[in-house]
Amino acid sequence: MWIYSLLIGIWMGYYTLLMMHYARAWKKLTRKKLPEESAGLPGLSVIIPFRNEQENVESLFRSLEIQDHPEIEFLLIDDGSEDSSFARLQELTAGDTRFRLLQSSGTGKKKAIREGIRESRYDHLLFSDADTTRGEKWARSMHNRLVMSRASFVSGPVQLTGGKGFFGRWQELEFSGLIAIGAAAIETGRPNMCNGANILYTRQCFEEVGGFAGNEDHPGGDDQFIMHKVFHKNPEQVVFHADREAIVYTEIVSSLKGFILQRVRWASKNGRFERKGVNREMLAVWIVNAILIAGIFLFPFRYMLLYPMLAGWIWKGTVEYVFYRDVLPFFRMQQRTGLFAFSVLTEAAYVFVIGLLGKFVSYEWKGRRHK
């Protein structure tokens, strides 16, 4: 029992320090005064690859056409869609000269993004996904952060919507934590995560870090790999923009299978980042959850393990509650706090399982199979 208790104490101690570090950084970040409005924003190119998004392209278009930006273009790049996405977008964008539709000459999101960058008119590049929506100030807010901070890479907030029932509302809760951790890590100069549904960088920084060179074999990572490359070259050039007007919204994953496939895809990037501290932190978080999950299966054989195991779960839940208590108001999800006690066990189990699957299991995404 003492060995298990020692493991609980060591790893939960580390986890507590890590989460409190993130909590302090998040509070500091969200209390900062937002940058003043630039006297004049330069041109901005919004680049969005899409594949088989016929159910989402209309809402995407409606949220783009309302953007309040003085000089903007939208490049929508078809990554080999097998449905009516491209044709529907042609109908929607007809007559609006801000929109340009392209068909990628290759396969994969990164290839589509590279072609979008090559065809873009402007040197400031804002990226998002086709299954998203946003408010009218999104592009202006993100772009103003880049210009006024003189940064090269801006990570923006993303929020899940449409949650119904425990599974949907839990996704919204858990995802807000991921975004906040990514934001806090950037604020402390130890970036780990960002979300490709809302990032902005300059053409110059993309070229200086070699674009996607070194990560071409991975189907994802068009967001985090670039961020880590930029940070490795110039740490002060990577910032997070904590503005509600800059939030990009995307729907929850409705099925358990779809959720697992999405998270396996995300987890498959772990261990491949330039900053090795990211890999160590993610491994440590996985170990914390693995120890607690192991206790559930071991205590029937050693009843004395029940006490350190329960202490570990209560400890973990308290630490995470303190963190989420400050995160949820930004996303206007204070009402999700009531779900928190029920989500601690669920989240630990999924982190443990997904961490393993992300290393050893192939997955299918957008109709394509990836190892």
Side-chain angles (χ1 to χ4, degrees):
M1 184 186 80
W2 69 268
I3 295 178
Y4 185 79
S5 299
L6 182 62
L7 288 174
I8 288 283
I10 291 173
W11 287 104
M12 280 306 306
Y14 173 83
Y15 186 68
T16 300
L17 292 175
L18 182 64
M19 293 303 293
M20 293 302 98
H21 180 68
Y22 288 149
R24 286 192 296 270
W26 173 259
K27 290 173 72 172
K28 178 183 175 183
L29 179 65
T30 53
R31 290 175 180 176
K32 279 184 178 180
K33 184 179 179 181
L34 292 172
E36 296 180 0
E37 185 75 19
S38 171
L41 291 172
L44 178 68
S45 295
V46 178
I47 298 174
I48 303 179
F50 65 91
R51 174 176 166 80
N52 297 341
E53 296 284 358
Q54 62 183 9
E55 296 179 357
N56 299 311
V57 291
E58 183 163 355
S59 57
L60 169 69
F61 170 75
R62 300 303 176 196
S63 73
L64 292 178
E65 68 171 346
I66 62 172
Q67 290 305 303
D68 176 23
H69 192 284
E71 190 174 358
I72 194 169
E73 67 168 351
F74 303 101
L75 291 93
L76 309 178
I77 305 98
D78 183 11
D79 177 24
S81 292
E82 298 166 332
D83 61 8
S84 61
S85 301
F86 190 85
R88 181 58 180 146
L89 278 171
Q90 284 181 313
E91 297 174 2
L92 291 167
T93 61
D96 193 330
T97 57
R98 297 174 301 168
F99 286 86
R100 297 164 61 194
L101 268 63
L102 307 173
Q103 288 184 306
S104 178
S105 61
T107 299
K109 185 178 181 181
K110 289 176 182 172
K111 176 66 174 177
I113 289 174
R114 281 197 298 266
E115 294 192 6
I117 293 174
R118 186 177 65 243
E119 295 294 327
S120 60
R121 297 189 180 104
Y122 306 116
D123 291 328
H124 292 175
L125 313 169
L126 178 56
F127 299 85
S128 192
D129 293 336
D131 57 350
T132 60
T133 59
R134 69 278 296 140
E136 64 180 0
K137 300 290 186 180
W138 166 66
R140 178 185 286 271
S141 180
M142 287 288 289
H143 198 191
N144 189 65
R145 180 70 163 100
L146 180 86
V147 172
M148 298 303 289
S149 63
R150 294 183 173 86
S152 295
F153 186 104
V154 179
S155 172
V158 182
Q159 182 173 352
L160 289 186
T161 60
K164 296 179 181 179
F166 173 79
F167 182 54
R169 293 195 294 270
W170 173 79
Q171 282 188 64
E172 293 178 347
L173 174 74
E174 183 265 347
F175 189 80
S176 69
L178 293 180
I179 296 299
I181 287 173
I186 290 173
E187 176 67 15
T188 60
R190 297 164 56 184
N192 49 27
M193 298 179 288
C194 64
N195 194 297
N198 198 10
I199 57 174
L200 190 158
Y201 51 78
T202 65
R203 184 192 307 274
Q204 180 180 347
C205 90
F206 180 78
E207 294 172 349
E208 286 180 350
V209 300
F212 300 124
N215 306 117
E216 299 96 335
D217 62 321
H218 196 284
D222 52 278
D223 44 13
Q224 291 176 203
F225 291 140
I226 292 294
M227 179 183 71
H228 283 277
K229 283 184 171 185
V230 175
F231 178 82
H232 183 71
K233 185 175 180 63
N234 193 339
E236 295 181 356
Q237 291 295 299
V238 177
V239 299
F240 185 88
H241 187 37
D243 181 9
R244 287 192 180 95
E245 289 187 336
I247 294 177
V248 165
Y249 300 92
T250 186
E251 291 282 324
I252 64 162
V253 181
S254 58
S255 69
L256 179 60
K257 178 181 178 181
F259 174 80
I260 291 174
L261 289 175
Q262 180 192 66
R263 298 314 170 89
V264 167
R265 179 170 61 92
W266 292 356
S268 66
K269 293 178 282 189
N270 295 347
R272 300 167 62 105
F273 300 119
E274 296 248 352
R275 191 175 77 79
K276 298 307 178 184
V278 178
N279 305 321
R280 290 192 294 269
E281 289 170 8
M282 290 184 174
L283 177 61
V285 171
W286 183 85
I287 289 173
V288 166
N289 290 285
I291 291 172
L292 293 175
I293 293 295
I296 294 176
F297 293 96
L298 291 176
F299 94 83
F301 305 99
R302 296 290 299 272
Y303 290 115
M304 293 300 291
L305 292 180
L306 177 63
Y307 302 106
M309 181 194 69
L310 288 177
W313 281 108
I314 294 171
W315 188 352
K316 181 176 185 289
T318 302
V319 169
E320 292 178 353
Y321 175 80
V322 171
F323 173 72
Y324 276 96
R325 183 185 59 192
D326 293 323
V327 169
L328 294 181
F330 176 82
F331 296 98
R332 294 192 172 96
M333 293 199 302
Q334 295 92 322
Q335 70 276 14
R336 295 289 184 266
T337 307
L339 288 171
F340 184 79
F342 300 99
S343 74
V344 174
L345 178 61
T346 306
E347 185 170 350
Y350 115 80
V351 169
F352 173 71
V353 173
I354 295 298
L356 293 176
L357 295 179
K359 288 296 180 184
F360 304 110
V361 176
S362 299
Y363 61 92
E364 184 175 314
W365 192 253
K366 301 293 184 181
R368 291 171 177 157
R369 191 75 178 172
H370 303 286
K371 294 183 179 181

